[in-house]
PDB file of all heavy atoms in Angstrom:
ATOM      1  N   VAL A  53       4.690-155.540 -58.297  1.00  0.00           N
ATOM      2  CA  VAL A  53       5.960-154.838 -58.458  1.00  0.00           C
ATOM      3  C   VAL A  53       6.344-154.233 -57.112  1.00  0.00           C
ATOM      4  O   VAL A  53       7.491-154.291 -56.683  1.00  0.00           O
ATOM      5  CB  VAL A  53       5.860-153.751 -59.548  1.00  0.00           C
ATOM      6  CG1 VAL A  53       7.090-152.848 -59.547  1.00  0.00           C
ATOM      7  CG2 VAL A  53       5.680-154.401 -60.928  1.00  0.00           C
ATOM      8  N   MET A  54       5.340-153.685 -56.456  1.00  0.00           N
ATOM      9  CA  MET A  54       5.549-153.128 -55.122  1.00  0.00           C
ATOM     10  C   MET A  54       4.221-153.156 -54.385  1.00  0.00           C
ATOM     11  O   MET A  54       3.172-152.882 -54.986  1.00  0.00           O
ATOM     12  CB  MET A  54       6.057-151.694 -55.218  1.00  0.00           C
ATOM     13  CG  MET A  54       6.330-151.072 -53.861  1.00  0.00           C
ATOM     14  SD  MET A  54       7.058-149.440 -53.988  1.00  0.00           S
ATOM     15  CE  MET A  54       7.165-149.078 -52.230  1.00  0.00           C
ATOM     16  N   ASP A  55       4.246-153.485 -53.106  1.00  0.00           N
ATOM     17  CA  ASP A  55       3.037-153.437 -52.299  1.00  0.00           C
ATOM     18  C   ASP A  55       2.597-151.976 -52.175  1.00  0.00           C
ATOM     19  O   ASP A  55       3.321-151.126 -51.645  1.00  0.00           O
ATOM     20  CB  ASP A  55       3.346-154.015 -50.914  1.00  0.00           C
ATOM     21  CG  ASP A  55       2.087-154.132 -50.054  1.00  0.00           C
ATOM     22  OD1 ASP A  55       1.150-153.337 -50.263  1.00  0.00           O
ATOM     23  OD2 ASP A  55       2.081-155.007 -49.177  1.00  0.00           O
ATOM     24  N   LEU A  56       1.409-151.662 -52.679  1.00  0.00           N
ATOM     25  CA  LEU A  56       0.963-150.259 -52.702  1.00  0.00           C
ATOM     26  C   LEU A  56       0.733-149.702 -51.307  1.00  0.00           C
ATOM     27  O   LEU A  56       0.814-148.489 -51.098  1.00  0.00           O
ATOM     28  CB  LEU A  56      -0.308-150.113 -53.546  1.00  0.00           C
ATOM     29  CG  LEU A  56      -0.102-150.333 -55.048  1.00  0.00           C
ATOM     30  CD1 LEU A  56      -1.401-150.091 -55.796  1.00  0.00           C
ATOM     31  CD2 LEU A  56       0.997-149.428 -55.598  1.00  0.00           C
ATOM     32  N   LYS A  57       0.470-150.585 -50.334  1.00  0.00           N
ATOM     33  CA  LYS A  57       0.352-150.096 -48.946  1.00  0.00           C
ATOM     34  C   LYS A  57       1.684-149.518 -48.489  1.00  0.00           C
ATOM     35  O   LYS A  57       1.734-148.492 -47.817  1.00  0.00           O
ATOM     36  CB  LYS A  57      -0.064-151.231 -48.002  1.00  0.00           C
ATOM     37  CG  LYS A  57      -1.480-151.741 -48.221  1.00  0.00           C
ATOM     38  CD  LYS A  57      -1.950-152.663 -47.102  1.00  0.00           C
ATOM     39  CE  LYS A  57      -1.128-153.937 -46.961  1.00  0.00           C
ATOM     40  NZ  LYS A  57      -1.217-154.871 -48.118  1.00  0.00           N
ATOM     41  N   ARG A  58       2.769-150.168 -48.879  1.00  0.00           N
ATOM     42  CA  ARG A  58       4.097-149.690 -48.492  1.00  0.00           C
ATOM     43  C   ARG A  58       4.435-148.381 -49.219  1.00  0.00           C
ATOM     44  O   ARG A  58       4.999-147.461 -48.635  1.00  0.00           O
ATOM     45  CB  ARG A  58       5.134-150.766 -48.825  1.00  0.00           C
ATOM     46  CG  ARG A  58       6.515-150.401 -48.361  1.00  0.00           C
ATOM     47  CD  ARG A  58       7.426-151.633 -48.337  1.00  0.00           C
ATOM     48  NE  ARG A  58       8.803-151.230 -48.047  1.00  0.00           N
ATOM     49  CZ  ARG A  58       9.835-152.032 -48.186  1.00  0.00           C
ATOM     50  NH1 ARG A  58       9.671-153.279 -48.581  1.00  0.00           N
ATOM     51  NH2 ARG A  58      11.061-151.600 -47.914  1.00  0.00           N
ATOM     52  N   LEU A  59       4.064-148.313 -50.511  1.00  0.00           N
ATOM     53  CA  LEU A  59       4.298-147.067 -51.251  1.00  0.00           C
ATOM     54  C   LEU A  59       3.532-145.913 -50.614  1.00  0.00           C
ATOM     55  O   LEU A  59       4.045-144.800 -50.467  1.00  0.00           O
ATOM     56  CB  LEU A  59       3.885-147.241 -52.722  1.00  0.00           C
ATOM     57  CG  LEU A  59       4.104-146.033 -53.628  1.00  0.00           C
ATOM     58  CD1 LEU A  59       5.567-145.577 -53.636  1.00  0.00           C
ATOM     59  CD2 LEU A  59       3.654-146.350 -55.060  1.00  0.00           C
ATOM     60  N   LYS A  60       2.307-146.194 -50.193  1.00  0.00           N
ATOM     61  CA  LYS A  60       1.499-145.147 -49.557  1.00  0.00           C
ATOM     62  C   LYS A  60       2.146-144.684 -48.254  1.00  0.00           C
ATOM     63  O   LYS A  60       2.196-143.484 -47.961  1.00  0.00           O
ATOM     64  CB  LYS A  60       0.085-145.665 -49.299  1.00  0.00           C
ATOM     65  CG  LYS A  60      -0.836-144.627 -48.686  1.00  0.00           C
ATOM     66  CD  LYS A  60      -2.243-145.139 -48.523  1.00  0.00           C
ATOM     67  CE  LYS A  60      -3.194-144.076 -48.037  1.00  0.00           C
ATOM     68  NZ  LYS A  60      -2.826-143.470 -46.756  1.00  0.00           N
ATOM     69  N   LEU A  61       2.660-145.625 -47.457  1.00  0.00           N
ATOM     70  CA  LEU A  61       3.329-145.248 -46.204  1.00  0.00           C
ATOM     71  C   LEU A  61       4.555-144.369 -46.462  1.00  0.00           C
ATOM     72  O   LEU A  61       4.788-143.375 -45.768  1.00  0.00           O
ATOM     73  CB  LEU A  61       3.769-146.507 -45.438  1.00  0.00           C
ATOM     74  CG  LEU A  61       2.663-147.287 -44.741  1.00  0.00           C
ATOM     75  CD1 LEU A  61       3.231-148.574 -44.125  1.00  0.00           C
ATOM     76  CD2 LEU A  61       2.004-146.445 -43.659  1.00  0.00           C
ATOM     77  N   ILE A  62       5.337-144.742 -47.479  1.00  0.00           N
ATOM     78  CA  ILE A  62       6.530-143.950 -47.813  1.00  0.00           C
ATOM     79  C   ILE A  62       6.127-142.552 -48.262  1.00  0.00           C
ATOM     80  O   ILE A  62       6.696-141.543 -47.839  1.00  0.00           O
ATOM     81  CB  ILE A  62       7.357-144.657 -48.913  1.00  0.00           C
ATOM     82  CG1 ILE A  62       7.976-145.943 -48.361  1.00  0.00           C
ATOM     83  CG2 ILE A  62       8.437-143.741 -49.458  1.00  0.00           C
ATOM     84  CD1 ILE A  62       8.613-146.838 -49.422  1.00  0.00           C
ATOM     85  N   LEU A  63       5.116-142.483 -49.127  1.00  0.00           N
ATOM     86  CA  LEU A  63       4.647-141.171 -49.610  1.00  0.00           C
ATOM     87  C   LEU A  63       4.125-140.320 -48.465  1.00  0.00           C
ATOM     88  O   LEU A  63       4.411-139.117 -48.397  1.00  0.00           O
ATOM     89  CB  LEU A  63       3.541-141.376 -50.646  1.00  0.00           C
ATOM     90  CG  LEU A  63       3.974-141.502 -52.089  1.00  0.00           C
ATOM     91  CD1 LEU A  63       2.771-141.863 -52.943  1.00  0.00           C
ATOM     92  CD2 LEU A  63       4.576-140.194 -52.552  1.00  0.00           C
ATOM     93  N   ASP A  64       3.359-140.953 -47.585  1.00  0.00           N
ATOM     94  CA  ASP A  64       2.833-140.211 -46.432  1.00  0.00           C
ATOM     95  C   ASP A  64       3.963-139.619 -45.591  1.00  0.00           C
ATOM     96  O   ASP A  64       3.935-138.451 -45.218  1.00  0.00           O
ATOM     97  CB  ASP A  64       1.993-141.142 -45.543  1.00  0.00           C
ATOM     98  CG  ASP A  64       0.524-141.080 -45.878  1.00  0.00           C
ATOM     99  OD1 ASP A  64       0.064-140.016 -46.327  1.00  0.00           O
ATOM    100  OD2 ASP A  64      -0.151-142.099 -45.682  1.00  0.00           O
ATOM    101  N   GLU A  65       4.955-140.472 -45.305  1.00  0.00           N
ATOM    102  CA  GLU A  65       6.021-140.051 -44.397  1.00  0.00           C
ATOM    103  C   GLU A  65       6.943-139.022 -45.043  1.00  0.00           C
ATOM    104  O   GLU A  65       7.281-138.007 -44.426  1.00  0.00           O
ATOM    105  CB  GLU A  65       6.833-141.279 -43.981  1.00  0.00           C
ATOM    106  CG  GLU A  65       7.942-140.936 -43.006  1.00  0.00           C
ATOM    107  CD  GLU A  65       8.971-142.057 -42.859  1.00  0.00           C
ATOM    108  OE1 GLU A  65       8.660-143.227 -43.153  1.00  0.00           O
ATOM    109  OE2 GLU A  65      10.109-141.739 -42.458  1.00  0.00           O
ATOM    110  N   LYS A  66       7.354-139.253 -46.286  1.00  0.00           N
ATOM    111  CA  LYS A  66       8.390-138.425 -46.907  1.00  0.00           C
ATOM    112  C   LYS A  66       7.847-137.177 -47.583  1.00  0.00           C
ATOM    113  O   LYS A  66       8.589-136.221 -47.805  1.00  0.00           O
ATOM    114  CB  LYS A  66       9.146-139.253 -47.956  1.00  0.00           C
ATOM    115  CG  LYS A  66       9.849-140.462 -47.415  1.00  0.00           C
ATOM    116  CD  LYS A  66      11.045-140.050 -46.573  1.00  0.00           C
ATOM    117  CE  LYS A  66      11.760-141.278 -46.039  1.00  0.00           C
ATOM    118  NZ  LYS A  66      12.844-140.896 -45.127  1.00  0.00           N
ATOM    119  N   VAL A  67       6.574-137.222 -47.982  1.00  0.00           N
ATOM    120  CA  VAL A  67       6.052-136.123 -48.817  1.00  0.00           C
ATOM    121  C   VAL A  67       4.795-135.488 -48.216  1.00  0.00           C
ATOM    122  O   VAL A  67       4.797-134.313 -47.856  1.00  0.00           O
ATOM    123  CB  VAL A  67       5.764-136.627 -50.252  1.00  0.00           C
ATOM    124  CG1 VAL A  67       5.167-135.518 -51.102  1.00  0.00           C
ATOM    125  CG2 VAL A  67       7.034-137.167 -50.882  1.00  0.00           C
TER     126      VAL A  67
END
Side-chain angles (χ1 to χ4, degrees):
V53 169
M54 182 175 179
D55 186 332
L56 291 183
K57 292 191 298 294
R58 184 164 173 192
L59 181 57
K60 182 177 186 301
L61 285 175
I62 292 170
L63 270 173
D64 265 330
E65 182 195 338
K66 299 289 181 185
V67 178

